[in-house]
Amino acid sequence: MIKFQYNKTSLQQLEKQLKVRVRTLPIIKNKESALRMEVKRCKSDAAALDAKLEKEIQAYEAMFALWNEFDTSLIKVSDVHLGVKKIAGVRVPLLENVDFEIRPYSLFNAPKWYADGLHLLKSLAHTAIEREFTVAKLNLLEHARKKTTQKVNLFEKVQIPGYQDALRKIKRFMEDEENLSKSSQKIMKSHQEKRKEAEA
């Protein structure tokens, strides 16, 4: 409910508030549509990364018998470089790079496929980390989109009509007051004229 009083000050304040909301609404709508598009794009990115991860896991499983020989301590993630990107005013994390630490191993004593195995594990880890970032980004964008949609609905369906209704009521009240004032002045005038005539 919009609180107001039946006077000019309240009328001016409400008009100012209404103007702000009417001016802001298209901007918020644009933000909402930009976020909606970004959420859609992010969902397709996540789906593509899921498919890529699945494919890489299948490649890993194809060499399953060989992995028993593999020394898993040879490779580990040493660092994940983050960035921040603003999308329609929303700060989202950005994966810039993943650093791997590969322990030295003997090329002569280790099986020939170790190099391919290391490459496969690097790719698998990178895709899994990238997917996590995409899901985090998607959640942030989805949350921001919902909030923006709520704001659009609040402005469009509640506040703007509420302010317009309140302004109508104040204007009507002030017009009625003015009309009453005019008619009471006319009545007073006619009473005074009748009194003057009676005295004369």
Side-chain angles (χ1 to χ4, degrees), residues 55-131:
K55 194 177 173 186
E56 287 174 359
I57 288 169
Q58 283 171 1
Y60 171 84
E61 286 172 350
M63 296 168 65
F64 192 71
L66 299 172
W67 288 113
N68 292 332
E69 300 173 30
F70 191 76
D71 180 4
T72 53
S73 68
L74 285 180
I75 184 169
K76 70 175 185 180
V77 175
S78 62
D79 201 1
V80 176
H81 299 277
L82 307 175
V84 174
K85 186 181 178 186
K86 262 193 173 185
I87 298 172
V90 181
R91 290 167 60 90
V92 292
L94 197 66
L95 177 66
E96 289 178 346
N97 198 15
V98 180
D99 292 339
F100 293 94
E101 192 180 302
I102 298 172
R103 232 184 53 222
Y105 65 96
S106 168
L107 292 170
F108 300 107
N109 297 337
K112 287 180 184 173
W113 62 271
Y114 259 39
D116 289 337
L118 286 169
H119 179 73
L120 180 63
L121 285 176
K122 266 171 104 172
S123 179
L124 197 61
H126 192 281
T127 305
I129 292 167
E130 193 178 353
R131 187 194 167 280

Side-chain angles (χ1 to χ4, degrees), residues 7-197:
N7 57 39
K8 273 188 177 177
T9 310
S10 186
L11 182 77
Q12 287 168 345
Q13 285 172 345
L14 290 178
E15 281 174 340
K16 207 179 281 179
Q17 292 291 330
L18 179 64
K19 262 184 201 167
V20 167
R21 278 155 182 78
V22 168
R23 208 177 315 123
T24 310
L25 186 61
I27 298 163
I28 300 171
K29 277 185 169 180
N30 285 343
K31 181 180 178 175
E32 184 200 20
S33 65
L35 284 168
R36 196 176 298 263
M37 279 171 51
E38 205 55 49
V39 164
K40 198 175 177 184
R41 189 179 301 132
C42 205
K43 277 182 181 172
S44 68
D45 287 352
L49 284 167
D50 278 341
K52 187 180 176 188
L53 193 60
E54 191 59 43
K55 194 177 173 186
E56 287 174 359
I57 288 169
Q58 283 171 1
Y60 171 84
E61 286 172 350
M63 296 168 65
F64 192 71
L66 299 172
W67 288 113
N68 292 332
E69 300 173 30
F70 191 76
D71 180 4
T72 53
S73 68
L74 285 180
I75 184 169
K76 70 175 185 180
V77 175
S78 62
D79 201 1
V80 176
H81 299 277
L82 307 175
V84 174
K85 186 181 178 186
K86 262 193 173 185
I87 298 172
V90 181
R91 290 167 60 90
V92 292
L94 197 66
L95 177 66
E96 289 178 346
N97 198 15
V98 180
D99 292 339
F100 293 94
E101 192 180 302
I102 298 172
R103 232 184 53 222
Y105 65 96
S106 168
L107 292 170
F108 300 107
N109 297 337
K112 287 180 184 173
W113 62 271
Y114 259 39
D116 289 337
L118 286 169
H119 179 73
L120 180 63
L121 285 176
K122 266 171 104 172
S123 179
L124 197 61
H126 192 281
T127 305
I129 292 167
E130 193 178 353
R131 187 194 167 280
E132 287 304 309
F133 270 84
T134 305
V135 169
K137 177 179 160 184
L138 178 61
N139 290 337
L140 285 167
L141 290 170
E142 190 68 69
H143 178 73
R145 187 202 57 77
K146 280 180 186 167
K147 287 275 186 206
T148 311
T149 303
Q150 285 172 351
K151 201 167 188 178
V152 166
N153 289 338
L154 178 69
F155 275 28
E156 225 173 23
K157 296 180 176 127
V158 179
Q159 289 187 345
I160 291 175
Y163 279 113
Q164 288 170 336
D165 188 48
L167 286 168
R168 237 188 330 271
K169 285 177 182 173
I170 295 171
K171 284 175 183 172
R172 223 176 266 148
F173 177 83
M174 287 168 78
E175 282 169 10
D176 290 347
E177 210 176 43
E178 196 180 322
N179 290 340
L180 282 171
S181 170
K182 280 179 184 173
S183 28
S184 65
Q185 282 173 358
K186 279 182 186 174
I187 293 167
M188 288 277 289
K189 201 174 184 183
S190 70
H191 276 298
Q192 283 172 351
E193 283 172 3
K194 281 179 186 174
R195 201 177 296 136
K196 279 180 186 173
E197 282 173 17

